[in-house]
Amino acid sequence: MNTQTQEAVPKASGLLLAIILVGQFLAILNVNIVNVATPTIETDLQASGAGLQMIVAGYTIVYAVLLITGARVGDLFGYRKAFLGGLAVFTLTTLAAGLAPSTGWLVASRLLQGAGAAMMMPQVLTLIQRNYHGAARGRAIGLWSLVISGGIVVGQALGGILLGLGLGWRVVFLTLVPIGALLLVAGLKVLPADEGGGRTGLDPLGLLTLSAAVLLFVVPLVLGRDLGWPVWGWISMGLSVVTFAAFVRIERWVTARGGRPLVDARVLRAPGMRPGLAILLFGPATWGAFLFTSALHLQGDLHLSPLASGMMLVPCALAFGLVGLAWPRLPARLQRPLVPFGYVVAAPAYVGLGLASGGGLGYALMSALIGAGLGVQVAVTNMATEQVEDAYAADASGALLTVMQLGQVIGVSTVGTLFISLDQGATASASASLTTSLAMAALAVLAGLSSLFLVRRRVPAVA
């Protein structure tokens, strides 16, 4: 960044960060807030099982597929325009969801909500990368990561609170509309004008191939569990591998011809990016699995309300946030070793969670230790992107967010399915919790091993 830009940013940096993080919070909130409303939606709209699945999962599917596309749109047309455009689409479709007269209307609204979120979310990390440096950047990424983790937990609890008011399922959506509108007004005044990354071309062939690869992978994982893992799902996931390999070849071809690939190889060659992507696949996989199985266990086996279930996870979210915010303040010699140590804490804490399946203080304590361990993912994001040039910030944002989303989907579909299959009968709950906790601990170990490749790189901090 030039000197003029560096001097201009701090004046609005606090408000800028608040606006983009609240926008991100709304997008994350929508992943889970609708879950607790599905019984009333089913009754009110006479929704079928397939309709309910798409109401819940459609948002996640579209969001995951379009994340990298959203990052490139910001690169082409400007991050401010892309963020505000995505926020506008998200807010309008949230209103449409709240007013939906039928299941089809609600499904369509949820799909468009996912598209708006995918347009908005990559710009948040990109704006942080381009406008914050040094310790300020570490703190901003800490808050960014806290919002991601906290939004999921708050979504579960807030849905229960809103439904508890007796106002029906529509309030779950309509409450978010005025917040989105206020953000739009504030964002128009505060977000800095920019021209994106100064790159041209959308790489339509790469865009089409990557979108198809992610779609073929995500759809069977999101819907497969409820459909009994049909044969078409396994075929689809196999085709996703082939399609992804085709995408890699297409990107190399575009680069060789002097074009602008959707994901520039220089991003993946940046120090720390490849191990960072591996960590942000396995780490969020444990997180997604933990939140999903905890909700089933606490609300099903222990008969807690959605609000009480969400409150049991508050220690986890708080510990996650505290570690993420404290990390940049540590002496430089301790910051990198903290990453593998975090997973050393998280792995046995998952095992402890399975042993404390009866709930209570022990469960809350293990939850807090899991959050503290996974809080090092803030450091992972910072280390993975600290040597990425500003011109390629959007590529890095899209890649990281997509991998994190895929990790969560993988964790929910695999460990979640294992939990459901084992949790049959009144006496099976403890065994199911322990077995799935061991699976989550194994994923945490994989993340920790991947982190060794990240921390061994002595990358100088960006001033």
Side-chain angles (χ1 to χ4, degrees), residues 195-274:
E195 298 179 353
R199 302 165 73 185
T200 58
L202 193 57
D203 183 14
L205 189 55
L207 171 61
L208 179 64
T209 310
L210 180 61
S211 298
V214 176
L215 187 66
L216 287 167
F217 184 74
V218 170
V219 168
L221 283 180
V222 171
L223 301 179
R225 183 184 64 254
D226 292 330
L227 297 177
W229 298 107
V231 174
W232 66 260
W234 297 104
I235 296 173
S236 177
M237 285 188 281
L239 288 174
S240 73
V241 176
V242 176
T243 310
F244 183 76
F247 167 73
V248 173
R249 293 184 66 88
I250 288 169
E251 295 302 273
R252 289 175 178 170
W253 176 75
V254 171
T255 302
R257 288 171 56 89
R260 296 289 190 180
L262 191 62
V263 179
D264 198 293
R266 280 169 285 195
V267 173
L268 300 180
R269 288 197 295 266
M273 267 298 289
R274 280 176 287 187

Side-chain angles (χ1 to χ4, degrees), residues 312 356 359-367:
M312 285 290 288
L361 182 60
Y363 195 94
L365 177 60
M366 291 300 108
S367 170

Side-chain angles (χ1 to χ4, degrees), residues 64-454:
V65 169
L66 295 181
L67 272 171
I68 287 183
T69 304
R72 172 52 64 89
V73 169
D75 214 20
L76 290 174
F77 302 107
Y79 311 115
R80 178 181 187 271
K81 291 179 182 177
F83 177 85
L84 294 176
L87 178 59
V89 170
F90 178 86
T91 302
L92 289 173
T93 52
T94 300
L95 176 62
L99 300 176
S102 66
T103 301
W105 182 297
L106 184 53
V107 169
S109 300
R110 289 285 286 169
L111 295 175
L112 291 172
Q113 267 189 314
M119 184 77 68
M120 176 173 52
M121 284 283 283
Q123 320 316 325
V124 177
L125 185 55
T126 302
L127 286 167
I128 288 174
Q129 288 178 256
R130 293 175 67 92
N131 291 292
Y132 298 86
H133 297 272
R137 183 169 176 271
R139 288 191 294 272
I141 289 181
L143 290 169
W144 169 82
S145 191
L146 174 61
V147 166
I148 290 178
S149 63
I152 297 173
V153 174
V154 172
Q156 293 179 341
L158 184 59
I161 293 173
L162 292 175
L163 286 175
L165 297 175
L167 301 176
W169 63 268
R170 298 181 189 277
V171 71
V172 168
F173 296 107
L174 296 178
T175 301
L176 307 181
V177 174
I179 302 174
L182 287 173
L183 281 183
L184 275 171
V185 173
L188 286 168
K189 296 181 179 180
V190 174
L191 266 62
D194 63 80
E195 298 179 353
R199 302 165 73 185
T200 58
L202 193 57
D203 183 14
L205 189 55
L207 171 61
L208 179 64
T209 310
L210 180 61
S211 298
V214 176
L215 187 66
L216 287 167
F217 184 74
V218 170
V219 168
L221 283 180
V222 171
L223 301 179
R225 183 184 64 254
D226 292 330
L227 297 177
W229 298 107
V231 174
W232 66 260
W234 297 104
I235 296 173
S236 177
M237 285 188 281
L239 288 174
S240 73
V241 176
V242 176
T243 310
F244 183 76
F247 167 73
V248 173
R249 293 184 66 88
I250 288 169
E251 295 302 273
R252 289 175 178 170
W253 176 75
V254 171
T255 302
R257 288 171 56 89
R260 296 289 190 180
L262 191 62
V263 179
D264 198 293
R266 280 169 285 195
V267 173
L268 300 180
R269 288 197 295 266
M273 267 298 289
R274 280 176 287 187
L277 288 170
I279 301 166
L280 293 177
L281 178 69
F282 295 122
T286 75
W287 179 245
F290 166 59
L291 292 175
F292 179 78
T293 57
S294 291
L296 291 178
H297 177 62
L298 295 173
Q299 295 179 42
D301 302 322
L302 301 187
H303 307 293
L304 298 182
S305 67
L307 175 58
S309 171
M311 293 303 294
M312 285 290 288
L313 300 178
V314 168
C316 179
L318 288 178
F320 186 104
L322 288 173
V323 170
L325 293 175
W327 166 78
R329 302 177 185 274
L330 292 175
R333 69 179 186 278
L334 298 179
Q335 291 181 359
R336 303 185 80 82
L338 176 68
V339 175
F341 179 73
Y343 295 105
V344 168
V345 172
Y350 275 124
V351 179
L353 188 78
L355 296 173
S357 59
L361 182 60
Y363 195 94
L365 177 60
M366 291 300 108
S367 170
L369 287 175
I370 289 169
L374 296 184
V376 300
Q377 291 177 177
V378 177
V380 172
T381 304
N382 192 68
M383 292 176 189
T385 60
E386 62 188 350
Q387 292 298 297
V388 175
E389 298 176 22
D390 280 357
Y392 301 102
D395 295 61
S397 298
L400 288 171
L401 285 171
T402 299
V403 167
M404 289 173 68
Q405 184 63 35
L406 291 177
Q408 290 191 49
V409 170
I410 290 170
V412 169
S413 61
T414 56
V415 180
T417 299
L418 177 63
F419 180 87
I420 291 172
S421 65
L422 294 174
D423 190 20
Q424 304 293 330
T427 61
S429 175
S431 175
S433 295
L434 181 58
T435 302
T436 52
S437 292
L438 290 172
M440 290 183 281
L443 289 170
V445 169
L446 290 175
L449 292 174
S450 300
S451 72
L452 297 176
F453 294 94
L454 177 69

Side-chain angles (χ1 to χ4, degrees), residues 17-37:
L17 188 61
I19 290 170
I20 60 178
L21 289 183
V22 173
Q24 173 179 273
F25 182 76
L26 293 180
I28 296 296
L29 199 67
N30 251 268
V31 175
N32 285 315
I33 195 171
V34 73
N35 288 349
V36 295

